């Protein structure tokens, strides 16, 4: 769609950078973006969406059906409250800003923030400080310079600012206005970044510092407490008010103390800080992009757990879906057997069975009008399947619609013994095909618990569906769900020659004509990769495979949902399948799934005409992004660890209990409706008090007791603190830490007075004077992570959760 971004697009400061980052991102997603200066006198029409960055000029949005505001709370005037009614959405970069805008408009919601990744591993790091106020006088520069002047700080400092500062202490280099290349060098060369802003909503200097893995020093204020990954938080005193917020100032003495603490860091400390900072930057970027996808209305809603661990809402939704996969599989098996006995293909009994009972596996096939002739052959080949027609369905997704009806004519819904569903998928990025969007639309339309992602140019051998279902059941029996991929060969003919040779067979629809056709057709047995010796069908079975070579996997639906489907940042050309495969291989490395080559199945790829050069250029833009994400998965970035937690919640409880390497703390709780509701109530109760109570801590939180895994994930996300899980017995072994809070979840319910006193004393010893002690008591009994525990009832019977916060004295 056509999007106008209205702001000060050429001020050389943060607003211009906001505009360029947001505009480039939306353009990479296929939208047409125009930057409009907020002081422009003439009207600009023809926009589907107008986004105002910080400023608002109503005349520049006349005629636009949608208008958004991305404000900075420190620059929004309280008397402009009525203007908020003009917007469809008010998107806040921070939760602190959301707390100010939410009382003013019901349309306010949290968006998040992202900045440019400035990481350059080739630049050598040094123990020096960097401060980047740019053209702003509200970044705390006066406190930084006073600290160096008054206290004779001997460590080198670089100040990158276009303003003239009268105070010129020794050991301070004033770089002035520098180009992007030089600024990137300063950011990577300096291990310590000073960001004592009076208010930040959030600044690029701060997040770019996190992106390079620097030890970032920020004020200990409400807005800054949301920023995870910062090495130190400096005390700050109220300074005044600006816009909707209160501002704070860091004293020069506190800057000096923070500098001395930084220089005391060991190399091991700095390595840990670097990893935490990079993880925080990548996690926030991932959350912001996901939020932007959601508000654009393009990213599909997940059926199960969240893609990145979304707190209490995601936990309860994911838990509610847990356990359904195994039941669906078992029910699908029974229905498939019943369908086989119902009668011959096409009989009235089987037609009724198809309409009443979902199949076991769905073949999701995106198609464009140009590939309709190949789709006709692919669907016709499925008539030869040895599996019962009621056991599988075909979901054909019209990528970009089907204005001429070529795709529907090729798929011929209603003329096959199996169900064929036609789904329209409008392209969100203009004229280019968008396979990711189409596949996600196909998953939403499918009814089966297993999804097989195919392409319109793939012919399946007659035993393919039967053997896929058999191997899937065998994998579940082994205790680890398997992602299966067929052996692939290619029809070694030019596209025109193949279409001509196969035209008579495709038109006749004769099932028996496929084998004679292929017997006289040259095939390339060299794909995929080095698996050419495994391509010949033999005894039904599968064998372990290190990766999914062609990206045509057979995946349990709960896993697809937990992974978030196909990432729609990638449009097609193979990059979208590669990115999805990277996620699958990351899950395999976590020992949650098995990837196997379906040696009993051969798939044939029909020859296609080459795509246009313009499409190639568009696709190749995603290669670097896919490589970057693959590196993050291999590195174990924080967003990926959160994604793995959601995947664990989506796998069947029976599988997790049977998995030999699954720790007891990671096994699933009971999934009955009462259990899910009680667990969600517990998480909501603690979440309501965790953020304000834990604000101000420099360190982390220890969560003890039942549902600790859920609470730890929630606290880590909401409060921006590192959270670890401990047992009651392990509580006494924890070292006293003045920057550590403790959450006791359910451990005091039903305990004797002596037991309560002993546990509370242990917690008080740890938190000392500066940390809060959160106690969540569960009325009705304790909660247990009981999956896999023999002879124990794991159900949650809690009807109420009582939460209190205790400030612990010395």
């Amino acid at each position: 769609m056509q999007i106008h971004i209205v702001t000060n697009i050429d001020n050389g400061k943060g607003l211009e950078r906001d505009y360029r980052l947001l505009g480039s991102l939306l353009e990479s997603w296929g939208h047409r973006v125009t930057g409009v200066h907020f002081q422009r006198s003439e009207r600009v029409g023809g926009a589907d969406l107008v986004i105002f960055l910080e400023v608002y000029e109503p005349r520049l949005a006349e005629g636009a059906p949608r208008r958004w505001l991305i404000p900075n709370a420190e620059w929004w005037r309280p008397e402009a409250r009525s203007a908020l009614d003009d917007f469809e959405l008010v998107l806040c970069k921070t939760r602190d800003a959301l707390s100010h805008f939410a009382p003013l408009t019901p349309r306010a919601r949290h968006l998040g923030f992202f900045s440019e990744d400035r990481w350059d591993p080739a630049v050598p790091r040094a123990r020096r400080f960097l401060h980047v106020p740019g053209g702003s006088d509200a970044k705390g520069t006066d406190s930084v310079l006073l600290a160096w002047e008054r206290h004779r700080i001997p460590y080198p400092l670089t100040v990158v600012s276009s303003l003239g500062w009268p105070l010129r202490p020794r050991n301070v280099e004033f770089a002035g206005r520098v180009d992007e290349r030089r600024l990137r060098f300063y950011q990577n060369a300096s291990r310590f970044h000073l960001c004592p802003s009076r208010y930040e909503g959030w600044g690029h200097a701060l997040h770019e510092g996190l992106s390079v893995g620097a030890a970032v020093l920020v004020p200990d204020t409400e807005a800054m407490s949301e920023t995870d990954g910062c090495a130190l938080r400096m005390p700050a005193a109220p300074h005044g008010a600006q816009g909707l917020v209160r501002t704070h100032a860091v004293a020069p003495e506190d800057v000096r103390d923070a500098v001395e603490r930084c220089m005391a860091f060991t190399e091991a400390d700095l390595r840990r800080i670097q990893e935490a900072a990079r993880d925080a930057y990548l996690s926030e970027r991932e959350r912001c992009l996901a939020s932007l996808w959601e508000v654009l209305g393009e990213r599909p809603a997940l059926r199960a757990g969240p893609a990145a661990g979304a707190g209490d809402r995601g936990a309860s939704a994911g838990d509610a879906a847990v356990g359904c996969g195994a039941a669906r599989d078992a029910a699908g098996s029974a229905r498939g057997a019943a369908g086989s006995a119902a009668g011959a293909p096409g009989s009235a009994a089987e037609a009724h069975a198809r309409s009443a009972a979902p199949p076991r596996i769905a073949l999701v096939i995106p198609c464009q009008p140009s590939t309709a002739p190949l789709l006709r052959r692919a669907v016709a080949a499925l008539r030869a399947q040895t599996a019962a027609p009621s056991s599988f369905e075909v979901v054909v997704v019209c990528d970009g619609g089907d204005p001429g009806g070529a795709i529907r004519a090729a798929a011929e819904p209603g003329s096959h013994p199996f169900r064929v569903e036609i789904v329209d998928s409008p392209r969100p990025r203009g004229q280019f095909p968008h396979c990711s969007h189409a596949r996600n639309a196909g998953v939403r339309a499918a009814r089966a618990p297993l999804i097989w992602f195919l392409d319109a140019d793939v012919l399946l051998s007659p035993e393919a569906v039967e053997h896929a279902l058999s191997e899937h059941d065998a994998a579940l029996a082994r205790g680890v769900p398997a992602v299966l991929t067929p052996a692939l060969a290619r029809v070694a003919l030019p596209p025109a020659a193949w279409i001509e040779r196969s035209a008579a067979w495709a038109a006749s629809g004769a099932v028996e004509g496929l084998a004679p056709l292929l017997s006289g057709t040259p095939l390339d047995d060299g794909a995929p990769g080095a698996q050419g010796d495994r391509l010949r069908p033999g005894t039904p079975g599968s064998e372990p495979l290190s990766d999914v070579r062609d990206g045509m996997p057979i995946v349990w639906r709960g896993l697809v949902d937990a992974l978030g489907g196909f990432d729609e940042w990638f449009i097609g050309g193979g990059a979208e399948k590669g990115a999805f495969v990277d996620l699958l291989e990351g899950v395999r490395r976590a020992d949650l799934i098995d990837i196997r080559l379906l040696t009993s199945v051969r798939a044939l790829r029909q020859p296609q005409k080459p795509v246009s050069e313009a499409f190639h250029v568009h696709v190749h833009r995603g290669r670097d992004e896919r490589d970057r994400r693959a590196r993050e998965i291999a590195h174990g970035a924080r967003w990926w660890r959160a994604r793995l937690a959601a995947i664990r919640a989506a796998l069947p409880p029976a599988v997790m209990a049977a998995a030999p390497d699954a720790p007891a703390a990671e096994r699933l709780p009971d999934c009955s409706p009462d259990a899910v509701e009680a667990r969600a109530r517990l998480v909501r109760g603690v979440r309501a008090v965790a953020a304000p109570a834990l604000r101000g801590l420099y360190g982390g939180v220890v969560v003890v007791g039942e549902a600790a895994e859920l609470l730890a994930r929630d606290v880590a996300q909401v409060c921006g603190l590192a959270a670890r899980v401990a047992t009651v017995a392990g509580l006494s072994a924890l070292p006293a830490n003045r920057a550590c809070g403790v959450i006791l979840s359910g451990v005091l319910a039903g305990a004797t007075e002596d037991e309560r006193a002993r546990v509370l004393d242990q917690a008080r010893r740890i938190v000392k004077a500066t940390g809060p002690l959160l106690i969540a008591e569960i009325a009705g009994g304790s909660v247990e992570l009981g999956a896999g525990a023999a002879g124990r009832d794991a159900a949650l019977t809690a009807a109420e959760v009582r939460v209190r916060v205790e400030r612990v004295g010395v």
Side-chain angles (χ1 to χ4, degrees):
M1 60 181 161
Q2 179 66 51
I3 300 176
H4 290 173
I5 300 179
V6 180
T7 190
N8 195 345
I9 61 176
D10 55 2
N11 70 342
K13 300 180 182 179
L15 279 181
E16 180 180 351
R17 183 164 293 187
D18 286 348
Y19 154 64
R20 297 194 181 282
L21 280 171
L22 181 60
S24 299
L25 177 67
L26 293 173
E27 284 181 344
S28 72
W29 289 352
H31 301 291
R32 301 180 301 280
V33 178
T34 301
V36 180
H37 198 284
F38 77 104
Q39 294 178 334
R40 182 169 180 165
S41 57
E42 68 273 18
R43 297 178 181 176
V44 183
D48 302 307
L49 168 65
V50 179
I51 302 176
F52 291 90
L53 295 181
E54 188 179 299
V55 300
Y56 179 43
E57 289 293 337
R59 57 187 170 77
L60 297 177
E62 292 181 3
R66 305 171 69 186
R67 59 185 74 179
W68 296 353
L69 173 68
I70 304 180
N72 279 15
E74 69 271 29
W75 297 112
W76 189 262
R77 302 186 309 276
E79 60 269 20
R81 173 176 182 170
S82 59
L84 298 175
D85 296 333
D86 295 344
F87 298 101
E88 173 191 343
L89 289 173
V90 176
L91 302 174
C92 302
K93 300 176 186 177
T94 67
R95 297 196 179 276
D96 182 67
L98 180 63
S99 70
H100 295 291
F101 281 98
L104 305 180
T105 173
R107 301 179 181 90
R109 63 175 297 170
H110 181 244
L111 175 66
F113 186 83
F114 74 99
S115 194
E116 184 181 351
D117 191 348
R118 315 286 285 183
W119 173 258
D120 186 354
V123 177
R125 266 65 175 168
R127 286 179 174 258
R128 57 181 301 123
F129 292 82
L130 176 68
H131 176 57
V132 187
S136 173
D137 59 357
K139 303 296 184 181
T141 309
D142 47 355
S143 294
V144 172
L145 297 180
L146 278 172
W148 252 258
E149 176 73 14
R150 289 180 184 176
H151 303 290
R152 309 288 182 179
I153 297 178
Y155 314 120
L157 165 69
T158 300
V159 177
V160 179
S161 175
S162 58
L163 303 180
W165 298 94
L167 195 61
R168 298 274 169 159
R170 57 190 295 271
N171 290 330
V172 177
E173 172 194 3
F174 290 87
R177 184 185 292 273
V178 299
D179 57 26
E180 289 297 310
R181 181 187 62 82
R182 191 65 180 169
L183 177 59
R184 184 187 295 268
F185 172 81
Y186 282 132
Q187 289 171 323
N188 283 272
S190 305
R191 281 190 156 174
F192 310 110
H193 289 204
L194 285 163
C195 301
S197 303
R198 294 175 185 170
Y199 186 87
E200 202 65 81
W202 288 341
H204 289 286
L206 190 159
H207 281 266
E208 289 173 0
L210 294 176
S211 76
V212 301
V216 180
L217 288 69
V218 298
D220 187 11
T221 57
E222 292 181 350
M224 293 297 196
S225 66
E226 300 178 36
T227 312
D228 199 6
C230 296
L232 290 176
R233 303 186 189 275
M234 299 174 285
H239 179 268
Q242 182 176 334
L244 300 179
V245 305
R246 291 190 307 167
T247 59
H248 294 77
V250 179
E253 289 73 25
D254 292 320
V255 173
R256 175 204 59 193
D257 293 344
V259 167
E260 294 297 339
R261 291 175 64 186
C262 284
M263 296 307 294
F265 286 143
T266 65
E267 287 300 313
D269 292 333
L270 291 175
R271 284 194 295 271
R272 287 193 295 270
I273 289 171
Q274 176 176 301
E275 181 178 354
R278 282 288 296 172
D279 276 354
Y281 166 79
L282 297 171
S283 298
E284 177 58 31
R285 179 182 184 274
E286 195 78 13
R287 283 193 294 267
C288 181
L289 297 189
S291 298
L292 190 57
W293 269 115
E294 184 178 350
V295 296
L296 282 170
E298 297 177 350
R299 194 166 185 86
L302 302 182
R303 295 176 183 266
D312 61 333
R313 179 184 60 179
S316 59
D319 291 336
V322 167
C324 298
R328 282 198 303 261
D329 283 351
S333 301
R335 283 191 290 266
S340 301
S347 67
E350 186 166 282
H352 175 73
R354 288 201 308 272
S355 63
R360 293 198 60 200
I361 187 169
L363 281 57
V364 175
I365 306 175
C367 184
Q368 307 142 34
S370 61
T371 56
L374 300 178
L375 175 68
R376 178 185 296 276
R377 290 151 179 78
V379 176
L382 296 175
R383 296 174 63 90
Q385 289 298 311
T386 58
S390 61
S391 64
F392 67 95
E393 65 178 338
V394 179
V395 180
V396 176
V397 188
C398 303
D399 184 358
D402 187 23
I407 297 177
R408 283 174 171 79
E412 297 179 325
S415 63
H416 303 287
F418 45 83
R419 176 177 177 261
V420 177
E421 178 79 9
I422 306 295
V423 179
D424 282 322
S425 173
R427 290 174 181 167
R429 304 194 194 179
Q431 74 274 26
F432 292 122
H434 200 305
C435 293
S436 292
H437 191 271
R439 288 193 177 93
N440 289 332
V443 172
R444 294 195 298 272
R447 301 188 299 165
L450 271 179
I451 306 294
W452 193 341
F453 294 105
L454 293 173
D455 293 328
D457 59 347
V458 171
L459 298 172
L460 289 183
S461 55
E463 71 283 349
V465 172
E466 180 183 4
H467 291 181
L469 292 174
S470 173
E471 286 305 307
H472 170 73
D473 294 342
L476 286 180
R478 289 192 296 269
V480 179
V483 171
L484 303 171
T485 181
L488 181 74
R490 301 178 188 275
V491 175
L493 284 176
W498 164 252
I499 294 294
E500 180 181 0
R501 181 175 298 191
S502 59
W505 167 76
S508 68
V511 174
E512 63 275 5
L514 177 61
L517 172 67
L518 295 179
S519 64
T521 299
L523 301 179
D524 175 13
D525 281 353
Q531 310 296 333
D533 57 333
R534 302 173 176 175
L535 290 174
R536 292 161 183 78
T539 303
S542 62
E543 61 181 79
L545 186 65
S546 59
D547 55 9
V548 183
R549 297 298 180 109
D550 190 63
M552 293 195 308
I554 306 166
V555 190
W556 181 61
R557 185 190 204 118
L559 182 55
V560 176
D561 293 335
L563 287 171
F566 281 79
D567 193 325
E568 295 183 13
W569 193 93
F570 303 94
I571 64 171
E576 86 291 352
K577 289 189 289 187
F580 187 70
V581 166
D582 292 338
L583 297 176
L584 291 174
E585 292 178 349
V587 179
R588 179 188 60 81
R589 285 193 292 269
D591 295 327
L592 293 179
I593 63 171
D594 188 14
I595 294 179
R596 303 180 72 85
L597 180 70
L598 200 56
T599 52
S600 56
V601 171
R602 171 187 291 224
L604 303 175
R605 187 177 290 284
Q606 307 173 67
Q608 272 204 57
K609 294 181 181 179
V611 296
S612 67
E613 184 63 28
F615 180 63
H616 264 307
V617 171
H618 203 73
V619 168
H620 288 176
R621 294 173 63 182
R623 286 187 173 178
D624 292 342
E625 177 67 10
R626 182 207 164 180
D627 292 342
R628 181 188 69 79
R629 297 190 193 186
R631 289 193 299 270
E632 292 174 11
I633 292 172
H635 174 68
R638 179 171 300 178
W639 69 266
W640 174 242
R641 297 198 297 269
R643 188 76 60 89
L644 283 178
I647 294 169
R648 288 189 179 96
L651 293 175
V655 172
M656 292 302 296
D661 296 329
E666 296 178 349
R667 293 175 184 166
L668 245 52
D670 176 62
C671 300
S672 65
D674 290 342
V676 170
E677 176 56 29
R679 188 164 57 249
R681 193 181 301 115
L682 171 65
V683 173
R684 286 195 299 268
V686 176
R687 182 188 181 107
V689 298
L694 297 176
R695 184 167 290 143
L697 289 181
Y698 300 131
V701 178
V702 177
V703 186
V704 183
E706 294 78 9
E709 286 288 330
L710 293 172
L711 293 180
R713 194 165 65 238
D714 194 72
V715 168
Q717 181 184 4
V718 176
C719 305
L721 296 170
R724 59 182 296 187
V725 177
T727 62
V728 175
L731 189 61
S732 59
L734 292 173
N737 185 346
R738 295 176 64 87
C740 181
V742 175
I743 293 179
L744 302 178
S745 163
V747 298
L748 303 180
T752 65
E753 288 301 321
D754 290 342
E755 292 171 338
R756 293 169 64 92
R758 177 173 52 82
V759 173
L760 289 174
D761 286 343
Q762 292 174 2
R764 290 190 181 97
R765 179 187 61 82
I766 295 171
V767 298
K768 291 282 183 154
T770 59
L773 175 63
L774 272 65
I775 304 172
E777 293 195 28
I778 304 169
S782 62
V783 184
E784 294 181 354
L785 287 173
R792 285 198 298 179
D793 181 10
L796 289 165
T797 59
E800 180 186 357
V801 175
R802 296 191 299 271
V803 181
R804 75 174 188 267
V805 180
E806 177 181 341
R807 284 284 175 180
V808 183
V810 178

